[in-house]
């Protein structure tokens, strides 16, 4: 059974650009969550989607957005990138809100 | 706000030693999990343990839900156990709240 797949694995962007990250959940999982990990703030929740609906959103500016497609795949977008957006972005999927399984992450560097 | 406290923040061991990592929760636990973050950043599931005790090889975990804490035991540690260990719970909110992690270094 394939795990959670995140693409791309690494990304370098310039300040002011926008970026889109992708997450394919484990087959059958309908909940997808996104987290940001930085050395200073640790692991912080961004948002969670279930059946194409955003159910929960963390305390991040509106530049961070996401969506979920009918096949449960999810994307997150960050517009007008800032240096502070450099982080490891992790996606997790779960079945019926129980155990969460994480992908390998996308490491974003903003220069 | 809801918090997860992990201790110790850092742990240095020699191969073969045993260790205990602890998580304290500020509210009733719901879907408690332990993870190991590998050097490439991926969070590897160790245990899903909202209550009781589980064992997997050299690792075991115990959650005492009534007292809002969980323990992760690592026995006969190996260098491959090095990394950061996180506990997390969703507190019935659809989002995981993570502790700050325990950084474990195991030397040969």
């Amino acid at each position: 059974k394939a795990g959670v797949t995140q693409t791309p694995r690494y990304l370098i962007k310039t300040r002011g650009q926008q970026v889109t990250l992708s997450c394919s959940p484990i087959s059958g999982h309908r909940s997808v969550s996104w987290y940001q990990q930085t050395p200073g703030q640790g692991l912080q929740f961004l948002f969670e989607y279930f059946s194409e609906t955003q159910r929960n959103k963390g305390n991040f500016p509106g530049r961070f957005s996401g969506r979920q497609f009918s096949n449960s795949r999810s994307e997150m977008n960050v517009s007008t990138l800032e240096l502070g957006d450099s982080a490891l972005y992790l996606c997790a999927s779960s079945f019926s809100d129980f155990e969460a399984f994480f992908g390998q992450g996308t490491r974003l560097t903003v220069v | 706000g809801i918090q997860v406290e992990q201790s110790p923040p850092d742990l240095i061991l020699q191969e073969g030693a045993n260790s205990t990592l602890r998580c304290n929760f500020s509210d009733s636990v719901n879907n408690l999990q332990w993870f190991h973050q590998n050097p490439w950043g991926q969070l590897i599931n160790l245990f899903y343990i909202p209550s009781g005790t589980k064992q997997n090889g050299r690792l075991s975990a115990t959650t005492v839900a009534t007292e809002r804490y969980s323990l992760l035991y690592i026995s006969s540690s190996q260098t491959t156990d090095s990394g950061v260990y996180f506990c997390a719970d969703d507190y019935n909110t659809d989002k995981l709240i993570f502790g700050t992690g325990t950084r474990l270094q195991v030397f040969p």
Side-chain angles (χ1 to χ4, degrees), chain A residues 20-75:
Chain A
T20 299
L21 312 182
S22 179
C23 174
S24 293
I26 292 171
S27 177
H29 287 192
R30 294 163 65 188
S31 171
V32 174
S33 301
W34 290 88
Y35 295 82
Q36 181 197 65
Q37 186 178 27
T38 59
Q41 299 297 317
L43 279 150
Q44 292 192 293
F45 171 79
L46 281 158
F47 22 68
E48 189 258 353
Y49 289 87
F50 184 88
S51 293
E52 302 180 67
T53 300
Q54 185 182 92
R55 293 197 301 186
N56 210 337
K57 188 178 189 329
N59 189 25
F60 279 82
R63 300 184 297 105
F64 291 81
S65 63
R67 59 178 174 169
Q68 186 180 33
F69 302 95
S70 58
N71 62 357
S72 294
R73 189 177 71 85
S74 177
E75 290 181 346

Side-chain angles (χ1 to χ4, degrees), chain B residues 58-73:
Chain B
R58 296 181 295 103
L59 273 60
S60 64
T62 295
T63 295
V64 183
T66 54
E67 296 187 25
R68 301 178 181 176
Y69 73 88
S70 184
L71 303 174
L72 177 68
Y73 305 96

Side-chain angles (χ1 to χ4, degrees), chain B residues 14-85:
Chain B
Q14 194 158 24
E15 228 174 6
N18 303 326
S19 60
T20 301
L21 284 61
R22 182 179 178 110
C23 277
N24 290 327
F25 298 87
S26 62
D27 204 341
S28 300
V29 298
N30 187 50
N31 286 315
L32 200 161
Q33 292 186 242
W34 281 95
F35 300 93
H36 176 213
Q37 189 163 40
N38 67 22
W40 298 272
Q42 185 173 9
L43 289 171
I44 307 298
N45 291 52
L46 295 178
F47 295 101
Y48 171 74
I49 187 166
S51 64
T53 297
K54 290 185 177 180
Q55 181 157 7
N56 185 4
R58 296 181 295 103
L59 273 60
S60 64
T62 295
T63 295
V64 183
T66 54
E67 296 187 25
R68 301 178 181 176
Y69 73 88
S70 184
L71 303 174
L72 177 68
Y73 305 96
I74 305 175
S75 64
S76 305
S77 57
Q78 301 176 357
T79 56
T80 52
D81 295 332
S82 297
V84 184
Y85 291 79

